[in-house]
């Protein structure tokens, strides 16, 4: 079997990209070039060229709109000025399940099993409900539609004992298909500086053992079964288990002598569903999903630790001894969702989507949430209509209107609309405009949280049961020009969030007296509604393909303003939203060439960011990072194929040595290297995607 040539002419490759089917913007299939909402796609080809080790690395380097500031609690993602809480992460259209505070653990996503990534920016609550105020990121996984058997193994090694392991087994026999996936990730972590920030009255600690990124290990096993009962009805079920441990060093810390416990996570998921295809446009789907995310302290030394559950709610001195290898539950979060959705074609070029969604969230966090156990429920009905019409000549218009009625057990009813339009002015030009509202209820963490963190002193974090839901209005206007191998898009946006929830530093006397007596915090921070917040800016992307060479650039400008009440002077004042950077950009150049049974790929990638602003603990420094990758694909006549990847991250060895406890621009340790080997065995015939693509094209017409 010879290697199939993958290098296309500029125009042909561009046509293939524009003919990709996307679903995230409307929940229905559209060719990318005709998607009613502006959709950014990171294609499988881009993913193969880039050779990323994580979803954070992929999004951070291949788009200009994202920022990450990873720590032990999660990825700290930000999109166009809004953080984790406002970004909805989907895997094949289903919500990823993580911390209720939005600190999703993106290592749940195996980068080796990603087919493509679809990104829709702006409020999408009418379709997806809460959490979709900043945008939606939909991870589309590989479907492995191979008759027979497929075996694949990828082993990647990098600096600081960075290990990434992926194994997959796909079986397809008649009506039944199965895919089993295993992934493992490990890093020894690193320390950019031994200096640790202390309060202004004290000198910095110069020999801290604190690490910039701690040693960590995680693994996941997942299974998906699909049964094609008949040509119209497909049944499917999947499940996964996930384990992660973060190893925290013991040593000298400001205000904290030693770490006596690691952090451990245990996740599990199970789901089942059915898809009934009536014809090429009409379908009905039913999905039932259950997810669990449990977080523990895993003790490494004798420890006297708070345990409100054992003390039956005692406020003063609720401490109990823990021995090495014992665990203490910090939070157990479980979610059950039922989603019924239908899509029907109506007369006069209308496509109607309708759905019913029921969601139940349950949380047990004895040491972090007042009352230990809380829950809430959401029920929603949504409708969406898509209408297309010709405008004469090669021009056409596509209008989308949606409406969602949401009921929350704590906050009642809310109606959320959206309206978008796309105008096609011949083949080269497309104009898109969107107005949509967002809606987000306070999380259980924001309502009832109680947590103490040692961070250059004792910080007390508190929830607030007086919070009200957040709402937003999002406006965008953008244009797209495509011709041969050139594609240019420019989009301006404005997002106005009312009653935005954020952590606000409050005087200690405003906190419950019992907590102040017990913890004596240096600072107390509480979740509060901060009146209104505004984010606005524009995104620009350009891509040029010239036979074997592809060039691309992206730029994102952002500004934010939030009105916050100042208790010291009893006045409102304007602040920035934490983590904002005015300027971000990315650039890449890739070259691919086929030598019969060998394919060589070379890629140069750059990522730039200006200073990131924060209200406390300093600003993050601006930076630029450059990466060189090489890919080597080999094929044989024995059903085996091989792929070797090797590269250098952070070519110019930039390292942010800001002291621990202050904000970093980037956590990179400096120049690192990596290499990976993939071995793939396939026996059987691969199913063709032509039928699916033809159906999508017919639907577009």
């Amino acid at each position: 079997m010879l290697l199939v040539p993958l290098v296309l002419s500029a125009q042909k490759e561009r046509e293939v990209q524009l003919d990709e089917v996307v679903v995230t913007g409307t929940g229905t299939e559209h060719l990318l070039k005709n998607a009613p909402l502006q959709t950014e796609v990171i294609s499988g080809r881009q993913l193969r060229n880039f050779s990323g080790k994580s979803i954070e690395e992929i999004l951070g380097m291949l788009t200009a709109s994202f920022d990450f500031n990873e720590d032990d609690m999660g990825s700290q993602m930000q999109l166009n000025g809004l953080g984790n809480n406002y970004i909805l992460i989907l895997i094949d259209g289903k919500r990823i399940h993580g911390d209720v505070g939005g600190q999703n653990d993106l290592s749940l996503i195996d980068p080796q099993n990603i087919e493509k990534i679809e990104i829709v920016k702006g409020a999408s609550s009418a379709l997806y409900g809460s959490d979709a105020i900043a945008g939606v990121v939909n991870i589309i996984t590989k479907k492995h539609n191979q008759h027979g058997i497929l075996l694949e193994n990828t082993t990647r090694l990098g600096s600081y004992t960075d290990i990434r392991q992926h194994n997959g087994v796909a079986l397809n026999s008649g009506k039944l298909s199965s895919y089993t996936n295993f992934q493992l990730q490990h890093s020894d972590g690193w320390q950019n500086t031994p200096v640790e920030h202390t309060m202004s009255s004290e000198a910095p600690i110069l020999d801290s053992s604190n690490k910039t990124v701690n040693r960590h290990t995680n693994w996941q096993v997942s299974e998906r079964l699909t049964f094609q009962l008949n040509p119209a009805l497909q049944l499917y079920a999947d499940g996964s288990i996930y384990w992660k441990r973060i190893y925290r060093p013991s040593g000298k810390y400001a205000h904290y002598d030693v770490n006596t416990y690691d952090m451990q996570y245990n996740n599990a998921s199970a789901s089942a569903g059915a898809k009934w295809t009536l014809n090429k446009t009409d379908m009905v789907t039913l999905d039932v999903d259950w997810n669990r995310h449990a977080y523990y302290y895993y003790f490494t030394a004798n420890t006297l630790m708070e345990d409100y559950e054992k003390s039956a709610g005692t406020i003063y001195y609720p401490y109990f001894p823990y021995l090495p290898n014992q665990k203490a539950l910090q939070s157990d979060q479980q979610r059950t969702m039922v989603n019924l959705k239908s899509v029907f074609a109506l007369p006069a070029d209308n496509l109607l989507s309708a759905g019913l969604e029921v969601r139940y969230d349950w949380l047990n966090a004895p040491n972090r949430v007042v009352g230990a156990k809380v829950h809430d429920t959401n029920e929603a009905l949504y409708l969406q209509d898509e209408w297309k019409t010709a405008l004469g000549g090669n021009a056409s218009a596509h209008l989308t209107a949606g409406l969602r009625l949401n009921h929350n057990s704590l906050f009642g009813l809310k109606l959320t609309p959206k309206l978008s339009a796309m105008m096609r002015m011949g083949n080269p030009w497309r104009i898109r405009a969107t107005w949509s509202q967002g809606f987000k209820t306070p999380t259980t963490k924001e309502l009832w949280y109680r947590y103490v963190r040692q961070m250059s002193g004792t910080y007390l974090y508190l929830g607030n049961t007086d919070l009200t839901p957040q709402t937003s209005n999002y406006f965008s206007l953008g244009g797209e020009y495509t011709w041969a191998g050139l594609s240019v898009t420019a989009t301006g946006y404005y997002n106005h969030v009312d009653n935005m929830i954020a952590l606000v530093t409050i005087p200690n006397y405003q906190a419950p007296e019992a907590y102040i007596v017990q913890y004596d915090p240096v600072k107390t921070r509480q979740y509060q509604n901060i009146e209104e917040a505004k984010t606005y800016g524009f995104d620009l992307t350009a891509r040029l393909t010239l036979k074997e060479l592809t060039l691309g650039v992206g730029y994102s400008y952002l500004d934010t303003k939030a009105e916050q009440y100042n208790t010291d002077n009893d006045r409102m004042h304007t602040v920035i939203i934490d983590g904002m950077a005015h300027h971000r950009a990315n650039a890449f150049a890739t070259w691919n060439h086929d030598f019969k049974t060998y394919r060589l790929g070379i890629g140069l990638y750059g990522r730039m960011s200006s200073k990131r602003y924060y209200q406390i603990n300093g600003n993050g420094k601006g930076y630029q990072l450059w990466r060189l990758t090489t890919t080597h694909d080999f094929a044989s006549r024995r059903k085996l194929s091989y792929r070797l990847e090797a590269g250098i991250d952070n070519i110019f060895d930039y390292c942010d040595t800001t002291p621990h406890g202050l904000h970093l621009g980037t956590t990179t340790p400096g120049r690192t290297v990596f290499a990976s080997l993939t071995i793939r065995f396939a026996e059987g015939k691969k199913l063709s995607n032509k039928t699916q693509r033809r159906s999508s094209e017919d639907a577009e017409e």
Side-chain angles (χ1 to χ4, degrees):
M1 179 181 69
L2 297 179
L3 184 69
V4 177
L6 297 176
V7 179
L8 307 175
S9 68
Q11 185 169 358
K12 184 177 179 182
E13 181 182 352
R14 184 60 193 158
E15 288 173 353
V16 168
Q17 183 184 5
L18 290 176
D19 285 345
E20 281 196 87
V21 177
V22 296
V23 298
T24 307
T26 61
T28 55
E29 292 185 349
H30 293 279
L31 301 182
L32 177 60
K33 61 185 177 184
N34 293 330
L37 276 74
Q38 183 68 53
T39 303
E40 184 176 354
V41 173
I42 300 177
S43 67
R45 180 181 177 85
Q46 289 175 280
L47 293 170
R48 289 190 297 271
N49 286 335
F50 181 67
S51 306
K53 68 178 181 180
S54 66
I55 190 66
E56 294 95 336
E57 191 176 78
I58 291 168
L59 292 176
M61 292 293 287
L62 296 183
T63 68
S65 300
F66 287 90
D67 263 321
F68 291 91
N69 192 19
E70 298 176 61
D71 61 18
D72 288 346
M73 301 308 297
S75 300
Q76 302 286 351
M77 178 169 55
Q78 190 181 76
L79 170 62
N80 285 350
L82 297 175
N84 293 276
N85 280 353
Y86 306 95
I87 306 168
L88 180 60
I89 307 295
L90 306 174
I91 300 179
D92 292 326
K94 298 179 181 179
R95 289 169 174 261
I96 189 174
H97 183 57
D99 180 67
V100 291
Q103 307 296 339
N104 289 319
D105 185 358
L106 297 183
S107 59
L108 286 163
I109 303 168
D110 183 357
Q112 295 295 328
N113 197 35
I114 301 176
E115 178 64 32
K116 63 178 178 178
I117 302 172
E118 298 178 7
I119 303 164
V120 176
K121 300 170 187 175
S124 298
S125 294
L127 186 61
Y128 293 105
S130 189
D131 304 332
I133 287 180
V136 178
V137 180
N138 193 5
I139 312 295
I140 311 296
T141 61
K142 297 176 181 178
K143 297 304 178 283
H144 306 281
N145 51 348
Q146 182 91 25
H147 278 309
I149 185 171
L150 170 68
L151 304 174
E152 54 187 6
N153 174 87
T154 299
T155 302
R156 173 183 171 127
L157 302 176
S159 303
Y160 301 97
T161 321
D162 188 88
I163 301 171
R164 310 280 164 152
Q165 179 66 37
H166 161 83
N167 296 95
V169 179
L171 300 171
N172 193 321
S173 177
K175 297 181 178 181
L176 181 66
S177 62
S178 163
Y179 182 69
T180 306
N181 183 70
F182 170 79
Q183 65 153 329
L184 179 143
Q185 302 176 8
H186 172 83
S187 172
D188 281 347
W190 57 84
Q191 183 187 63
N192 287 359
T193 176
V195 179
E196 182 163 340
H197 171 72
T198 59
M199 302 308 296
S200 57
S201 60
E202 303 175 14
I205 290 179
L206 303 180
D207 56 350
S208 169
S209 297
N210 199 0
K211 286 189 174 184
T212 306
V213 172
N214 284 327
R215 180 184 172 214
H216 57 273
T217 302
N218 63 271
W219 57 262
Q220 182 182 49
V221 178
S222 61
E223 170 69 27
R224 179 175 176 87
L225 293 170
T226 303
F227 184 70
Q228 195 71 42
L229 186 63
N230 56 53
L233 183 59
Q234 183 184 82
L235 307 177
Y236 45 86
D238 55 50
S240 68
I241 55 174
Y242 171 88
W243 179 92
K244 181 175 183 177
R245 186 164 169 190
I246 298 173
Y247 302 87
R248 307 203 308 157
S250 300
K252 299 177 181 178
Y253 286 80
H255 305 285
Y256 203 58
D257 294 329
V258 64
N259 278 325
T260 60
Y261 59 87
D262 296 333
M263 298 176 179
Q264 183 170 313
Y265 300 84
N266 293 87
N267 287 17
S269 69
S271 66
K275 181 177 181 180
W276 183 25
T277 304
L278 304 175
N279 52 52
K280 66 183 181 182
T281 57
D282 299 354
M283 68 172 186
V284 178
T285 60
L286 174 64
D287 290 284
V288 180
D289 301 280
W290 171 83
N291 293 270
R292 184 192 185 204
H293 174 82
Y295 168 43
Y296 299 87
Y297 285 167
Y298 185 94
F299 293 94
T300 56
N302 295 334
T303 305
L304 198 63
M305 177 65 68
E306 292 176 314
D307 196 317
Y308 287 87
E309 191 171 43
K310 291 183 179 180
S311 64
T314 301
I315 294 297
Y316 297 99
Y317 309 107
Y319 295 101
F320 291 84
Y322 285 91
L323 303 177
N325 301 320
Q326 287 187 319
K327 295 189 299 184
L329 176 68
Q330 300 303 302
S331 66
D332 181 2
Q333 303 169 49
Q334 298 186 39
R335 183 192 68 203
T336 302
M337 290 188 67
V338 179
N339 198 325
L340 176 65
K341 176 183 175 182
S342 61
V343 179
F344 295 102
L346 301 179
D349 285 328
N350 280 263
L351 189 65
L352 179 67
S353 301
L356 168 66
E357 181 181 293
V358 179
R359 173 177 170 180
Y360 176 82
D361 286 283
W362 179 86
L363 169 66
N364 177 27
N367 299 321
R368 292 171 178 262
V369 169
V370 177
K373 297 179 181 180
V374 293
H375 70 274
D376 71 355
T377 59
N378 282 276
E379 304 89 25
L381 292 168
Y382 60 90
L383 291 170
Q384 176 184 269
D385 184 55
E386 302 176 54
W387 176 64
K388 292 181 289 185
T389 183
L391 299 177
N394 292 325
S396 64
H398 191 138
L399 303 178
T400 303
L403 192 64
R404 184 184 188 95
L405 178 63
N406 190 85
H407 176 263
N408 180 270
S409 57
L410 298 177
F411 298 99
L413 293 170
K414 176 63 179 178
L415 200 61
T416 307
K418 80 167 183 181
L419 183 64
S420 64
M422 183 198 73
M423 182 178 294
R424 182 170 63 182
M425 304 167 62
N427 288 326
W429 293 96
R430 284 168 177 79
I431 298 175
R432 294 178 175 89
T434 297
W435 165 70
S436 57
Q437 286 191 348
F439 174 67
K440 179 171 173 57
T441 56
T443 66
T444 50
K445 176 178 179 179
E446 294 163 344
L447 290 168
W448 291 290
Y449 204 51
R450 172 191 57 208
Y451 176 57
V452 175
R453 182 180 182 186
Q454 302 293 341
M455 182 179 61
S456 304
T458 301
Y459 281 58
L460 174 62
Y461 293 85
L462 297 174
N464 184 355
T465 55
D466 293 327
L467 293 174
T468 59
Q470 305 163 90
T471 59
S472 71
N473 279 278
Y474 175 81
F475 304 87
S476 69
L477 177 64
E480 179 181 18
Y481 175 82
T482 59
W483 179 77
L486 176 65
S487 173
V488 180
T489 63
T491 303
Y493 64 89
Y494 173 80
N495 206 350
H496 186 120
V497 183
D498 283 317
N499 297 317
M500 184 177 185
I501 296 174
L503 277 170
V504 175
T505 301
I506 63 173
N508 282 349
Y509 65 79
Q510 292 186 3
E513 182 180 359
Y515 295 149
I516 301 303
V517 171
Q518 181 178 350
Y519 300 115
D520 188 25
V522 172
K523 285 188 178 181
T524 300
R525 307 202 79 197
Q526 185 181 46
Y527 289 100
Q528 292 186 1
N529 293 107
I530 58 173
E531 300 300 328
E532 64 178 21
K534 304 173 184 177
T535 69
Y536 51 92
F538 67 89
D539 296 329
L540 175 68
T541 63
R543 181 174 177 175
L544 176 64
T545 302
L546 301 170
K547 293 185 178 180
E548 299 175 335
L549 178 67
T550 301
L551 306 174
V553 294
Y555 171 74
S556 180
Y557 171 79
L558 169 68
D559 202 356
T560 68
K561 293 181 180 178
E563 297 297 323
Q564 180 177 306
Y565 179 69
N566 190 326
T567 56
D568 293 334
N569 56 23
D570 195 29
R571 292 182 180 178
M572 300 296 297
H573 68 291
T574 302
V575 297
I576 50 90
I577 297 177
D578 278 351
M580 181 203 72
H582 283 303
H583 309 282
R584 295 187 300 274
N586 73 309
F588 68 88
T590 60
W591 178 80
N592 294 276
H593 185 74
D594 282 314
F595 302 89
K596 293 185 178 179
T597 60
Y598 165 65
R599 181 195 179 202
L600 171 65
I602 300 174
L604 178 66
Y605 300 85
R607 167 75 175 178
M608 291 70 68
S609 176
S610 61
K611 180 168 61 176
R612 300 185 69 184
Y613 294 90
Y614 294 88
Q615 295 182 47
I616 65 170
N617 298 325
N619 298 320
K621 297 178 181 178
Y623 62 89
Q624 60 172 303
L625 306 174
W626 290 90
R627 167 192 177 103
L628 178 67
T629 65
T630 64
T631 61
H632 313 264
D633 288 283
F634 306 87
S636 72
R637 299 178 183 274
R638 298 181 180 179
K639 304 174 184 178
L640 285 171
S641 61
Y642 308 89
R643 178 178 175 88
L644 175 66
E645 300 171 353
I648 304 173
D649 272 320
N650 196 352
I651 298 172
F652 300 107
D653 200 25
Y654 173 76
C655 182
D656 189 341
T657 57
T658 300
H660 302 296
L662 302 178
H663 290 293
L664 300 175
T666 173
T667 58
T668 174
R671 186 183 300 116
T672 59
V673 297
F674 70 89
S676 73
L677 174 65
T678 298
I679 302 175
R680 184 182 176 99
F681 171 84
E683 183 176 29
K685 182 179 179 182
K686 187 172 182 180
L687 300 177
S688 173
N689 290 324
K690 290 182 179 180
T691 302
Q692 180 181 356
R693 179 171 295 173
R694 188 178 300 115
S695 297
S696 299
E697 291 173 346
D698 291 342
E700 293 293 341
E701 293 301 324

